[in-house]
Amino acid sequence: MNLLNIEHISKVFGEKIIFDDASFGIHEGDKIGIIGINGTGKTTLLKMIAGIETPDQGNIIRQNGLKIAYLPQNPEFPDGATVYSYAQDGKEETSWRVQSNLNKLGITQYDAKIETLSGGQKRKVAMAKILASDFDVLLLDEPTNHLDDEMISWLEDYLKSFRGVIVMVTHDRYFLDKVTNKILEISYGKMYSYEANYSKFLELKAQR
């Protein structure tokens, strides 16, 4: 069943054509890795699926009531927030999950002001919050950045057991192999879909 359809989208930045009449459908159970050389529009596509950016032409049609969570590469935080006030976001019912995620990601100073944290720590706090929330589709931009092997293994297990849809951009080919069941390649403004993890994609692409 299709949860989200990307229909004939076009997007131009300055002189550069990012997408040119590109289409793609996202189905229940998809765990998609977006790949392409730098500057092809991988992050732009995530932002458009999230509703943060819009295509110049074409449509992105989401199933009614679809809940989308997005972890950008550089999350933004409210002034003066502490780790816990930001990550919990006033939702008592998810506090145990937030604490568990923070601990798994090595964040133990819950009362620390977010502006005192390093870039990597800030990303971990944002990830802890996102993964404790309620969503049908999870969008991740370079999720393994700043994570050690143990944290990556924990995230991998979490994503493999998650029953919803995952769409991610990552340069971690091993992580792609472990988590994805579909590869979306962006090339020269078009999208090419492969029912495969990264290793199988390389074989299929060579055949194509």
Side-chain angles (χ1 to χ4, degrees), residues 67-69 91 94 97 129-136:
K67 296 190 286 285
I68 298 176
K91 295 172 182 157
T94 61
R97 213 179 308 162
K129 175 181 178 173
I130 289 286
L131 296 184
S133 64
D134 180 28
F135 49 82
D136 307 302

Side-chain angles (χ1 to χ4, degrees), residues 2-11 19-27 30 32 34 41-42 44-51 53-55 57-63 66 68 137 139 165 167 184 186 189-191:
N2 264 30
L3 298 181
L4 192 146
N5 281 325
I6 297 162
E7 299 183 345
H8 304 289
I9 63 166
S10 296
K11 185 81 172 173
F19 293 106
D20 179 18
D21 193 27
S23 299
F24 179 64
I26 295 177
H27 309 85
D30 278 353
I32 301 164
I34 303 174
K42 300 186 294 292
T44 299
L45 180 59
L46 286 184
K47 287 180 176 178
M48 287 196 287
I49 294 171
E53 289 192 13
T54 54
Q57 292 178 299
N59 298 292
I60 296 181
I61 299 167
R62 301 167 186 84
Q63 190 183 74
L66 193 68
I68 298 176
V137 177
L139 309 175
V165 168
V167 186
L184 181 65
I186 302 176
K190 303 294 186 189
M191 301 183 204

Side-chain angles (χ1 to χ4, degrees), residues 24 35 38 44 50 82-83 85 115 129 139 149-150 155 175 186-187:
F24 179 64
I35 65 166
N38 286 346
T44 299
T82 66
V83 165
S85 71
E115 62 253 32
K129 175 181 178 173
L139 309 175
D149 289 346
E150 191 176 331
L155 180 60
F175 193 73
I186 302 176
S187 180

